[in-house]
Amino acid sequence: QVQLVESGGGLVQAGGSLRLSCAASGSIFSINAMGWYRQAPGKQRELVARITSGSRTNYADSVKGRFTISRDNAKNTVYLQMNSLKPEDTAVYYCHLVDRGAFDYWGQGTQVTVSS
């Protein structure tokens, strides 16, 4: 089994910053990609940012230029630096990992709340 442990969520004022971390452990064979999704109340879960094993990244249009995803391969950890936060960024953020191109794993989620 694979475990994903997230940290770094919290409450911040609009314009502020937060950094999320997600550490993966367990029976990991070959990580293809790690990323972050978010889900706001009454909305579907959506991709925020993703980074592949080759360090290719992609971002939701709504966060481009404000969020940066990075990865420490040695630690199996992915980070999401979130700057210039807006109230519409408020959501539960979930870490996601794809192993061996076929197995999906999710973290338990961490709440990010941005006050106006």
Side-chain angles (χ1 to χ4, degrees):
Q1 266 293 358
V2 174
Q3 295 80 41
L4 301 177
V5 178
E6 301 140 333
S7 61
L11 173 64
V12 65
Q13 288 189 332
S17 298
L18 284 174
R19 189 191 194 212
L20 305 182
S21 299
C22 173
S25 62
S27 302
I28 300 169
F29 287 85
S30 177
I31 298 176
N32 299 104
M34 294 185 75
W36 293 92
Y37 287 71
R38 68 187 180 187
Q39 187 166 19
K43 295 188 177 181
Q44 289 188 331
R45 190 173 296 189
E46 63 175 0
L47 174 68
V48 177
R50 182 175 178 267
I51 184 166
T52 69
S53 57
S55 297
R56 288 182 298 174
T57 58
N58 60 292
Y59 296 89
D61 287 343
S62 59
V63 307
K64 283 180 181 177
R66 300 187 298 122
F67 292 10
T68 302
I69 190 169
S70 60
R71 180 173 161 182
D72 184 333
N73 291 331
K75 296 181 179 179
N76 286 336
T77 299
V78 65
Y79 306 95
L80 185 68
Q81 178 65 44
M82 305 185 293
N83 298 329
S84 302
L85 282 160
K86 303 175 181 180
E88 50 264 44
D89 295 317
T90 295
V92 178
Y93 284 69
Y94 296 91
C95 181
H96 177 247
L97 179 152
V98 179
D99 185 31
R100 288 168 282 173
F103 298 91
D104 289 89
Y105 299 94
W106 293 91
Q108 78 285 358
T110 185
Q111 177 70 46
V112 171
T113 303
V114 184
S115 63
S116 57

